[in-house]
Amino acid sequence: MQLRKIRLSGSDVPSAEIAFTVGANVLAGQSDTGKSYLLHCLDFILGADELRKRIPEAEPYSQLHVEFQEPLGEYLTLERNLSGGELAVHRCRMDEIVEDGERVIRSRSGSSQAKDLSSVLLPFADMAGEAKLRKNDRGETQRLTVRTLLPIFLVNEIAMIDEKSPVVGDGTFDATARKRMFAYLLSGKDDSGIIAAERRDIIRARDQAKLGLIADLLEPLERKVKSFSDDPNDTIDKVDNAIGSITTELNTTTETRTAVLRNLQTEIAELQRAETQIIAIGEVLDRYKLLSARYKSDLGRLDFIAEGAHYFDGLQEVHCPLCDQPMSRDHLHVAQERSADVYAGARAEASKIKALSTDLSQVIITLEERLADWREGEATSRNNIKDFQERLDRQLAPALSDLNSRLEKLIRRRVELEGARNDKDQLDNLQLMKAEIERTSTGKTGTSKWEPLPSVALRNLCKCIEMVLIEWQWSTEPRVEFDQADFDIVVDGQSRQSHGKGVRSILHSAFVIGLLRYSAEYEKPHPGFVVLDSPLTSYRKSPSVNNGDGPIPPMIEVGFWKSLAEVTSKIQVIVIENKEPPKEVADAVSYTWFAGDDAKDGERKAFIPS
């Protein structure tokens, strides 16, 4: 990003403006011509609280516009009223403004995400708009802002000769942030990843709150632990062993009971089967016995009939029981039933019945044997059932009940002991925590050790400054070092701050231009331009004494002007100076001369036209 134009405008007055080009720009002139006022205008447009220098000639003007251009050719113009207030951003050239522009605040604070000057201008300068810089030893960070960068690209004549660091400047409250800004410019790496330590007063207040809470918790715990006299660890081990033994015994007893129940069920089934068989066999035997009795009755009747046939002939004449006729030889029944036939028939029938009766008797014997076996089995099953039931009721059930009862008691005891041990552990932990908090809260926390500036980048920067000094003919082999304690350069073994104000001014200029060249050569972040106010005016170096003020050695001033003529278009150096550059330099750079009250025709008198 480079500066292109500054313009003051107001009602009924001609605009006051000055333009700048790429490379070197020299603005020279008499005193009181508005040169330094331009620097204050830049400071004001870049977010200063107020315009720190006001001149009578600028009173009719009200509006300030400053135009910037980035390397790709895009323009951005900032606008601010000279009386104060916020800014307007126009993403166009100054002469192309037709609208009010985007309003932005100068800077935001706290957690605000409002768009401000830095969030607009830093990305336009190809820098990280939200880069973080460490601001203290605790590691707290803040945003990189335009105001933080200001000392390294906008140097007024007071800062030029000041003994303060060219990096830190007058940053009393943000010295750490400005040092980290310098580290960011050297390395391109910001402090976004730093985890900040807490503030000591916050830590102390939090520790006090913790101690109060711990005290509230300790009191009841101490009473509870004191009331428990057993050794929790030892007793818990014993109870665990007892629980293990009882659990094993309980499992064994349960398995036994299950086996007994299974046997009981088997015996009950056997008993039911025996009872069923006994009933069925009993029914069959009753029927078979009835049949056997029938067989005996039939045999008796047949025997009677067979024996009775022999007496038919000897029967007296009697009347037939059937027809009540006399039983003569002509009687029909006597004719049909001869005694021999009757006898034979009765015998044959009796033989059949005897055979059947014999088989039946054998079957009855067999059934009675089976009935006896089933009754024996029934009795055995009843005895077994009784034994199983008695074992269940008198042995296993009481044993299980006893084991369960003992196990429940042990578990309750285990819970009590576990609670006692937890209480003891919690008490120990709280006491340790209390001791640790008391120890750390009363002691001082160690100072954080932060990474120093990158040595290689710092050496490269010093080489760039050495090249600047060689061009300015400081010496043929100047040796530049950077003192990280004072955050200032040391040239040829002597710190810049120990020189007179003239040399401090020259070396301050060399540092700022060297940093600009370093950023361009190594592609590191930088706004892209520098503005130096009166780098030569205060210089009075003695040719023989290296640290005093005196006549200006011609070779230093000549070298300074000559180097401006060789500034490349990649950077922009704007020098505001009372002295005029040599003509060949003035012709080679963008040169503007304010002639003041002695202005001749065609010469510009001052920044603000009269």
Side-chain angles (χ1 to χ4, degrees):
M1 180 180 72
Q2 295 186 0
L3 181 62
R4 286 290 174 262
K5 188 180 292 184
I6 301 174
R7 174 187 292 170
L8 285 180
S9 58
S11 299
D12 301 327
V13 290
S15 296
E17 69 177 44
I18 185 169
F20 303 95
T21 64
V22 298
N25 293 259
V26 176
L27 173 59
Q30 300 293 337
S31 298
D32 296 332
T33 54
K35 301 187 302 298
S36 296
Y37 180 72
L38 287 171
L39 203 75
H40 287 281
C41 286
L42 287 174
D43 178 56
F44 182 65
I45 203 74
L46 293 177
D49 294 336
E50 60 178 351
L51 185 59
R52 294 188 174 90
K53 181 177 181 179
R54 295 186 182 274
I55 56 178
E57 294 85 352
E59 289 181 357
Y61 294 88
S62 60
Q63 215 66 11
L64 170 65
H65 291 82
V66 177
E67 180 183 286
F68 299 94
Q69 184 183 19
E70 48 93 78
L72 297 178
E74 297 295 326
Y75 287 89
L76 184 145
T77 300
L78 298 178
E79 177 184 0
R80 191 178 183 189
N81 192 284
L82 291 175
S83 61
E86 305 298 348
L87 297 98
V89 176
H90 304 271
R91 297 190 181 276
C92 62
R93 304 194 67 168
M94 189 182 298
D95 296 332
E96 297 172 349
I97 295 175
V98 293
E99 297 178 348
D100 291 340
E102 180 185 9
R103 297 187 182 278
V104 299
I105 59 176
R106 291 180 294 113
S107 64
R108 66 191 187 206
S109 60
S111 58
S112 171
Q113 295 297 316
K115 183 173 288 188
D116 66 351
L117 175 66
S118 297
S119 64
V120 172
L121 200 59
L122 295 183
F124 188 77
D126 199 23
M127 300 177 70
E130 297 296 333
K132 299 294 184 183
L133 304 175
R134 181 170 57 81
K135 65 179 182 180
N136 52 39
D137 281 342
R138 293 194 303 275
E140 294 178 323
T141 59
Q142 65 179 46
R143 288 175 63 224
L144 172 68
T145 65
V146 173
R147 303 304 297 177
T148 310
L149 286 164
L150 214 59
I152 56 93
F153 75 96
L154 195 65
V155 188
N156 60 41
E157 58 183 340
I158 297 175
M160 194 71 74
I161 61 176
D162 202 339
E163 294 182 358
K164 296 177 181 176
S165 161
V167 175
V168 178
D170 58 354
T172 306
F173 300 103
D174 60 351
T176 300
R178 289 191 172 179
K179 290 177 181 178
R180 295 307 300 164
M181 171 272 294
F182 179 62
Y184 171 64
L185 298 185
L186 287 177
S187 63
K189 182 179 67 176
D190 71 347
D191 296 331
S192 297
I194 293 178
I195 300 174
E198 292 181 293
R199 291 172 51 184
R200 187 170 299 174
D201 56 342
I202 294 177
I203 295 175
R204 189 179 297 111
R206 188 181 58 215
D207 288 345
Q208 290 300 322
K210 286 182 178 179
L211 289 173
L213 178 60
I214 290 174
D216 292 341
L217 295 174
L218 276 177
E219 184 178 357
L221 268 178
E222 288 173 344
R223 288 200 305 269
K224 197 172 180 181
V225 171
K226 286 180 180 177
S227 65
F228 195 86
S229 58
D230 292 350
D231 182 351
N233 289 323
D234 185 41
T235 310
I236 283 178
D237 293 338
K238 291 180 179 177
V239 171
D240 285 342
N241 293 332
I243 289 175
S245 299
I246 291 179
T247 301
T248 302
E249 187 177 356
L250 183 62
N251 292 335
T252 303
T253 306
T254 302
E255 291 174 358
T256 303
R257 180 176 179 275
T258 302
V260 171
L261 285 173
R262 188 164 51 247
N263 292 335
L264 176 62
Q265 291 173 352
T266 302
E267 289 299 333
I268 290 174
E270 286 296 323
L271 175 62
Q272 292 174 344
R273 184 183 175 192
E275 289 175 344
T276 302
Q277 290 296 322
I278 288 171
I279 293 173
I281 292 172
E283 289 292 332
V284 172
L285 279 176
D286 289 343
R287 292 178 182 275
Y288 283 181
K289 286 179 179 179
L290 288 176
L291 182 59
S292 178
R294 179 68 176 273
Y295 284 164
K296 289 179 180 178
S297 174
D298 289 344
L299 288 173
R301 182 176 56 83
L302 289 174
D303 287 342
F304 176 75
I305 291 174
E307 292 175 0
H310 296 287
Y311 300 105
F312 281 169
D313 293 336
L315 291 175
Q316 296 179 356
E317 186 177 340
V318 295
H319 294 275
C320 179
L322 299 176
C323 60
D324 199 28
Q325 293 180 5
M327 296 293 290
S328 64
R329 290 185 179 272
D330 297 329
H331 189 270
L332 181 60
H333 298 287
V334 176
Q336 292 179 350
E337 297 181 6
R338 298 180 66 91
S339 59
D341 294 337
V342 172
Y343 180 80
R347 297 303 298 179
E349 185 66 19
S351 296
K352 292 180 182 178
I353 291 173
K354 284 182 178 179
L356 291 174
S357 178
T358 301
D359 294 339
L360 182 60
S361 297
Q362 188 62 43
V363 171
I364 289 172
I365 292 170
T366 302
L367 288 176
E368 287 177 343
E369 290 175 353
R370 292 178 61 185
L371 181 61
D373 292 340
W374 281 113
R375 283 177 174 169
E376 183 179 356
E378 178 190 21
T380 302
S381 295
R382 290 187 183 280
N383 291 332
N384 289 338
I385 289 171
K386 181 180 180 183
D387 292 341
F388 291 145
Q389 196 65 52
E390 288 180 352
R391 189 177 180 187
L392 287 172
D393 296 340
R394 297 180 181 180
Q395 180 182 353
L396 296 177
L400 287 174
S401 177
D402 179 62
L403 289 171
N404 283 323
S405 177
R406 289 164 58 192
L407 184 61
E408 289 177 359
K409 290 180 180 178
L410 287 172
I411 291 174
R412 285 198 297 271
R413 179 62 174 167
R414 179 68 171 78
V415 172
E416 291 175 357
L417 295 174
E418 186 67 28
R421 186 170 68 176
N422 290 338
D423 290 341
K424 182 67 169 56
D425 292 343
Q426 189 176 3
L427 177 64
D428 294 341
N429 291 334
L430 287 174
Q431 289 173 338
L432 289 174
M433 190 182 301
K434 178 183 178 184
E436 180 64 16
I437 292 173
E438 290 174 343
R439 184 184 67 78
T440 56
S441 63
T442 54
K444 295 183 178 178
T445 56
T447 303
S448 298
K449 300 294 184 183
W450 297 103
E451 180 186 27
L453 295 173
S455 57
V456 174
L458 205 56
R459 184 60 236 160
N460 291 333
L461 169 64
C462 291
K463 288 180 179 178
C464 291
I465 299 173
E466 289 170 356
M467 290 302 301
V468 172
L469 292 176
I470 291 173
E471 292 173 5
W472 292 359
Q473 302 180 52
W474 173 273
S475 67
T476 55
E477 293 184 356
R479 177 65 181 176
V480 177
E481 298 171 296
F482 191 84
D483 185 347
Q484 296 194 42
D486 294 332
F487 257 72
D488 206 342
I489 56 174
V490 177
V491 180
D492 296 334
Q494 185 174 355
S495 68
R496 186 192 72 88
Q497 299 170 357
S498 66
H499 284 285
K501 60 183 180 180
V503 176
R504 290 199 297 271
S505 176
I506 285 291
L507 294 181
H508 195 141
S509 302
F511 172 79
V512 172
I513 294 176
L515 180 59
L516 176 61
R517 288 187 180 184
Y518 166 83
S519 301
E521 182 177 351
Y522 293 96
E523 297 182 347
K524 300 300 180 184
H526 192 282
F529 69 95
V530 296
V531 181
L532 306 176
D533 187 6
S534 306
L536 299 175
T537 301
S538 301
Y539 185 79
R540 295 290 188 274
K541 182 177 179 182
S542 169
S544 57
V545 181
N546 202 32
N547 61 353
D549 290 340
I552 303 173
M555 67 281 194
I556 295 289
E557 188 172 335
V558 170
F560 177 85
W561 290 123
K562 185 179 178 181
S563 69
L564 291 180
E566 298 172 355
V567 172
T568 67
S569 61
K570 292 183 179 178
I571 60 176
Q572 185 183 41
V573 177
I574 299 173
V575 175
I576 300 173
E577 181 57 64
N578 289 339
K579 297 179 180 180
E580 289 187 80
K583 185 175 185 309
E584 63 273 18
V585 175
D587 292 340
V589 302
S590 174
Y591 174 58
T592 303
W593 169 253
F594 292 161
D597 294 336
D598 299 331
K600 300 176 182 178
D601 291 341
E603 290 185 335
R604 184 169 180 175
K605 186 177 179 180
F607 170 58
I608 298 176
S610 57

